[in-house]
Amino acid sequence: DKYHFKPSLRQDMEGADLIISHAGAGSIMEGMELCTAANKSCGRQKKKLVVVTNAALMHGHQSELADALEARGHLYVVRDPRELLQEDTLRRIEAFDQVPFEGGDGG
């Protein structure tokens, strides 16, 4: 779909089974919140979050956050948008079992 400017994409994300986002902290937190809420309400994994990092942006801080959350199972990281066109990436995303984000550091 093509988007014109929207003040919020929340309604679109709520209706999606797969959220693909850039790896900014606000976008990640909103995506994890929506996935956790949707998956709890239906009792199964319905919604997944995939983030695309930009390593050149602000000394790689997106990668640092995304990698830490991926290591905890809260999202799936893609390093290059072209990976989203590869069948093996799509299979890995489909098989990814996202862990609900309950807030806090999680240690």
Side-chain angles (χ1 to χ4, degrees):
D1 285 326
K2 178 175 119 176
Y3 284 101
H4 296 284
F5 176 78
K6 290 182 168 187
S8 174
L9 296 175
R10 188 173 185 95
Q11 185 176 13
D12 297 287
M13 293 189 320
E14 286 173 344
D17 290 337
L18 176 64
I19 299 171
I20 300 174
S21 173
H22 80 117
S27 298
I28 285 175
M29 296 308 294
E30 184 175 23
M32 288 190 313
E33 172 194 336
L34 290 171
C35 289
T36 297
N39 296 340
K40 278 185 175 182
S41 72
C42 71
R44 62 181 175 82
Q45 187 166 62
K46 176 184 176 206
K47 190 180 297 284
K48 295 181 183 185
L49 175 62
V50 174
V51 298
V52 182
T53 60
N54 182 346
L57 189 62
M58 297 196 54
H59 309 292
H61 81 282
Q62 285 189 352
S63 296
E64 187 178 324
L65 175 61
D67 290 345
L69 292 169
E70 182 180 48
R72 296 175 181 160
H74 300 307
L75 51 80
Y76 187 91
V77 175
V78 172
R79 310 237 175 261
D80 183 327
R82 293 174 289 201
E83 289 180 49
L84 295 169
L85 302 175
Q86 299 172 0
E87 286 187 37
D88 60 320
T89 299
L90 298 176
R91 281 192 294 275
R92 285 193 305 271
I93 291 169
E94 189 173 328
F96 172 61
D97 188 20
Q98 188 163 328
V99 174
F101 181 73
E102 301 297 339
D105 182 6

